[in-house]
Amino acid sequence: MSKQNLPVVDLNAAACCPPLAVRPMDAEQAVAVAPMFKALGDPVRLRLMSMIASAPEVCVCDLTDAFDLSGPTISHHLRVLREAGLVEGDRRATWVWYRARPEAMRQLSALLETAAAA
Amino acid sequence: MSKQNLPVVDLNAAACCPPLAVRPMDAEQAVAVAPMFKALGDPVRLRLMSMIASAPEVCVCDLTDAFDLSGPTISHHLRVLREAGLVEGDRRATWVWYRARPEAMRQLSALLETAAAA
DNA sequence: ACTCTGATTCGAAATCTGTCTAGACAATAG
DNA sequence: CTATTGTCTAGACAGATTTCGAATCAGAGT
């Protein structure tokens, strides 16, 4: 399961850059970063992301049980998160385990930082 | 232009809550927050958001000029950002001016915070 | 080798999105 | 009052997304 671990989003291209509020983001970076936000823009994926990020790693079987959705649907959402570079997963024996990629989360968090508290 | 200023997303319902990585987000909060991430999940909207957030306020005319898109398309994207609660706009004389809502940005930033630097 | 379980991929249906053109609305200037 | 300019709404359409069931793949164990 090597292909599964390669995020489609290039974190190096996207990781950098000042917060959104510092100066207008250029088109190239926007294209690089938008898929990450898009991946989090679905309630199911947001919960999946949170479940995965809240533990060192999580088995797909546990994720599937937590939703009233078919296995293939969960698998699809995990793929979106994976291709956005937000999580990674690997098979160990019978099960596939997913982990969050904290660098990606930190990057998005930094992008949204604002001047100071209101 | 009163209706235009009411975000559809209830920031009070969404604002709260520990970071994604602290504990699994419940379904209700996920439904409340996902539209904000979704709104940022398009390259055009991400750039619009950044342009708006980088200045105290911005005229729609300047935003339209910065893209190779029709006026109505920009207007559509601004509406999505507005309904997500990320920006607000009001008409003054001939022009409509938009401002970022820093509380919303701060909320999303906080949700994505992780334990510590890698 | 066969089978069982866990997970992904495939193919299809219903719905949603991004974009456009055309038209409506708002405010200013003749 | 009408014309002009800036912005939004309405309607349309191609393409993407979400979801499913069926088929397939990967290992473990008989």
Side-chain angles (χ1 to χ4, degrees), chain A residues 16-22 37 103-114, chain B residues 105 108-110 112-113:
Chain A
C16 56
C17 316
L20 280 191
V22 168
F37 283 120
E103 327 84 76
M105 297 179 67
R106 238 172 267 128
Q107 184 196 340
L108 296 184
S109 181
L111 270 176
L112 291 165
E113 273 164 13
T114 59
Chain B
M105 297 179 66
L108 295 184
S109 181
L112 291 165
E113 274 164 12

Side-chain angles (χ1 to χ4, degrees), chain B residues 37-117:
Chain B
F37 284 120
K38 189 173 189 175
L40 296 176
D42 177 277
V44 173
R45 286 196 294 267
L46 203 46
R47 289 175 64 198
L48 285 170
M49 185 75 217
S50 186
M51 291 175 74
I52 295 168
S54 299
E57 47 184 12
V58 183
C59 173
V60 171
C61 53
D62 293 327
L63 297 172
T64 304
D65 290 347
F67 293 85
D68 195 17
L69 291 170
S70 70
T73 296
I74 297 298
S75 194
H76 159 73
H77 286 303
L78 288 171
R79 188 220 283 257
V80 173
L81 289 171
R82 224 166 48 222
E83 291 183 345
L86 289 164
V87 304
E88 59 190 356
D90 64 309
R91 173 163 238 134
R92 285 207 291 285
T94 304
W95 299 279
V96 176
W97 297 83
Y98 277 85
R99 286 173 300 291
R101 292 172 63 73
E103 327 83 75
M105 297 179 66
R106 240 173 266 127
Q107 185 197 338
L108 295 184
S109 181
L111 271 176
L112 291 165
E113 274 164 12
T114 59

Side-chain angles (χ1 to χ4, degrees), chain A residues 49-105:
Chain A
M49 185 75 218
S50 185
M51 291 176 74
I52 294 168
S54 298
E57 47 183 11
V58 185
C59 173
V60 170
C61 53
D62 293 328
L63 298 172
T64 304
D65 290 347
F67 293 85
D68 197 15
L69 291 170
S70 70
T73 297
I74 297 298
S75 196
H76 160 74
H77 286 303
L78 288 172
R79 189 222 282 257
V80 173
L81 289 171
R82 225 167 45 221
E83 291 184 343
L86 289 164
V87 304
E88 58 189 357
D90 66 308
R91 172 163 239 135
R92 285 208 291 285
T94 303
W95 297 279
V96 175
W97 297 84
Y98 275 84
R99 287 171 300 291
R101 291 171 63 74
E103 327 84 76
M105 297 179 67

